[in-house]
Amino acid sequence: MLGGGGLKGFAHIGVIRALEEHGIRPALFAGTSIGALIAAAYASGVGVEEMTRRAEALQRRDLFRINHVGVLLSRMRSPSIYLEEPLRTLCEGVLPHARFDELDVPLLVNTVDLERGTQLVWGLPGLRDVPISDAVYASCALPGFFPPGRVDGRVCIDGGTVDNLPVSAASGAMGLDALIAVDVGSGELTHDTDVAQQGFASIYMRAATTMMHSLQQVPLTHWAGPPMLLVRPRLATVSWFSFSHTAELINEGYRAATEALQTLPETLAAPGGVFPRRSVRITVSEERCTGCGLCVALAPQLMGLDARRKAFALTHVVEWSPADGDFVRHCPTEAIAVHRLDRRPSLPIVSGESAA
């Protein structure tokens, strides 16, 4: 399950390389946005070396060309800032002229039906007799940036609008025994003190990333499906649309996947849950805590307020997966810190400023 994240999605290429080295050939591929593009390419037979070559050769003009005429003549009624043709050409150049039902390996492409306002996953039963490139273009069509795409007569946009990592739709519909999910877009949200001065595009993408992160946390936090190995490369410092970090992104995807795969036997042996797991200690700074109670509202099973309205951890040492602990970063004064007891470097921690 390959998530969306703009050009951060090049990290998926490194993940696939790690899977190949471990002899892992998934029985199904699913993706959103650039995750859909790379999943579709690989499921169609495009190798890691070819994807790497194409990614490293991609330049801004190959993807972003301003829709001058549309913006000038239609203004607010223009469907997008950028033209459809470059993204459409990219999808059609990478993917075969084939339908979903012609692939040897099942493929799911996550989109949103704009007119109905519903999630629409192409490749599920009854939704396979359509061109793969049409669905992938629509899944990559970030609202406002690119025009919506038409798939079998339906107007569709980027699936990340509803579900940037389609784990629930895929596992529920396809009866999976286990899954590997790769989050490249919104797993890490760090402070960005300059975003308000960076212009419309940066503000829009910051808002979209925050929204996607919140939407994505719900199924991961309450995951009740088969065991999931969640791979989260560390990409917070790279822009969604940076063309100068391709090799770095691919290498980071490879590193994160290689380290996460060390716990694959543990994942496959479990009846469910999100992995890798790690032991962490939760502490609270009384000096910083204002007693706002937000941590208790977000994580009532872990946090409480004492008689002085100071937050405290109900259980100091807990077992966390990469999907846990999101409440920590919501503390407005960064009073909560998380210290990893298992020092394996592959397991990043969500923490306040004072964390170890």
Side-chain angles (χ1 to χ4, degrees), residues 31-57:
T32 294
S33 196
I34 192 170
L37 176 61
I38 292 177
Y42 193 65
S44 301
V46 181
V48 170
E49 295 303 321
E50 175 65 12
M51 284 193 283
T52 300
R53 183 189 68 79
R54 286 178 175 271
E56 291 178 340

Side-chain angles (χ1 to χ4, degrees), residues 304-326:
L305 289 176
D306 62 21
R308 301 168 299 156
R309 288 197 62 83
K310 294 292 184 179
F312 68 96
L314 299 176
T315 305
H316 290 287
V317 177
V318 296
E319 291 289 318
W320 271 1
S321 77
D324 294 319
D326 191 59

Side-chain angles (χ1 to χ4, degrees), residues 28-29 37 59 61 69 113 137 182 185 243 249 308 346:
L28 174 146
F29 292 89
L37 176 61
Q59 299 182 43
R61 65 175 178 270
V69 175
D113 186 319
Y137 169 83
V182 188
F243 288 80
L249 292 167
R308 301 168 299 156
S346 60

Side-chain angles (χ1 to χ4, degrees), residues 93-335:
V94 173
L95 304 174
H97 298 288
R99 304 185 308 267
F100 285 83
D101 55 10
E102 295 176 319
L103 291 179
D104 294 330
V105 180
L107 169 69
L108 303 180
V109 171
N110 187 38
T111 67
V112 169
D113 186 319
L114 184 61
E115 296 177 338
R116 294 174 173 82
T118 58
Q119 186 174 12
L120 188 56
V121 183
W122 300 98
L124 289 176
L127 297 170
R128 294 172 178 160
D129 188 18
V130 298
I132 297 168
S133 60
D134 285 354
V136 170
Y137 169 83
S139 186
C140 293
L142 184 66
F145 281 68
F146 296 101
R150 284 194 173 271
V151 189
D152 197 28
R154 303 197 190 201
V155 180
C156 298
I157 59 173
D158 192 333
T161 308
V162 169
D163 189 352
N164 205 38
L165 192 66
V167 289
S168 298
S171 65
M174 305 302 289
L176 305 179
D177 295 318
L179 59 103
I180 298 173
V182 188
D183 175 17
V184 299
S186 57
E188 292 181 292
L189 279 176
T190 57
H191 288 190
D192 188 345
T193 57
D194 297 325
V195 66
Q197 286 75 47
Q198 294 173 12
F200 160 78
S202 294
I203 295 172
Y204 177 88
M205 287 310 305
R206 180 66 172 180
T209 303
T210 303
M211 176 192 69
M212 291 176 184
H213 176 87
S214 297
L215 289 173
Q216 188 172 290
Q217 277 300 119
V218 175
L220 293 178
T221 302
H222 304 285
W223 182 248
M228 178 198 307
L229 186 68
L230 180 58
V231 181
R232 275 184 165 165
R234 299 169 188 168
L235 309 173
T237 59
V238 180
S239 166
W240 276 54
F241 302 118
S242 172
F243 288 80
S244 59
H245 295 84
T246 301
E248 173 188 340
L249 292 167
I250 294 173
N251 290 335
E252 173 56 18
Y254 175 79
R255 181 207 64 78
T258 299
E259 294 183 347
L261 286 170
Q262 295 174 9
T263 64
L264 185 60
E266 175 188 358
T267 304
L268 296 177
V274 181
F275 296 84
R277 312 290 298 180
R278 76 273 195 181
S279 296
V280 301
R281 182 184 299 277
I282 305 171
T283 61
V284 180
S285 168
E286 290 192 359
E287 291 76 15
R288 291 188 177 188
C289 179
T290 64
C292 71
L294 187 58
C295 59
V296 179
L298 295 176
Q301 74 282 8
L302 289 175
M303 304 298 295
L305 289 176
D306 62 21
R308 301 168 299 156
R309 288 197 62 83
K310 294 292 184 179
F312 68 96
L314 299 176
T315 305
H316 290 287
V317 177
V318 296
E319 291 289 318
W320 271 1
S321 77
D324 294 319
D326 191 59
F327 72 92
V328 174
R329 69 178 189 85
H330 285 278
C331 177
T333 59
E334 298 183 328

Side-chain angles (χ1 to χ4, degrees), residues 45-92:
V46 181
V48 170
E49 295 303 321
E50 175 65 12
M51 284 193 283
T52 300
R53 183 189 68 79
R54 286 178 175 271
E56 291 178 340
L58 188 68
Q59 299 182 43
R60 182 171 296 275
R61 65 175 178 270
D62 298 325
L63 188 59
F64 297 117
R65 296 180 198 167
I66 295 178
N67 182 14
H68 291 287
V69 175
V71 172
L72 179 63
L73 298 180
S74 301
R75 298 187 181 182
M76 293 299 293
R77 295 183 66 86
S78 176
S80 65
I81 298 173
Y82 298 106
L83 294 170
E84 174 180 334
E85 180 186 3
L87 178 57
R88 175 74 67 176
T89 300
L90 175 64
C91 293
E92 294 178 350

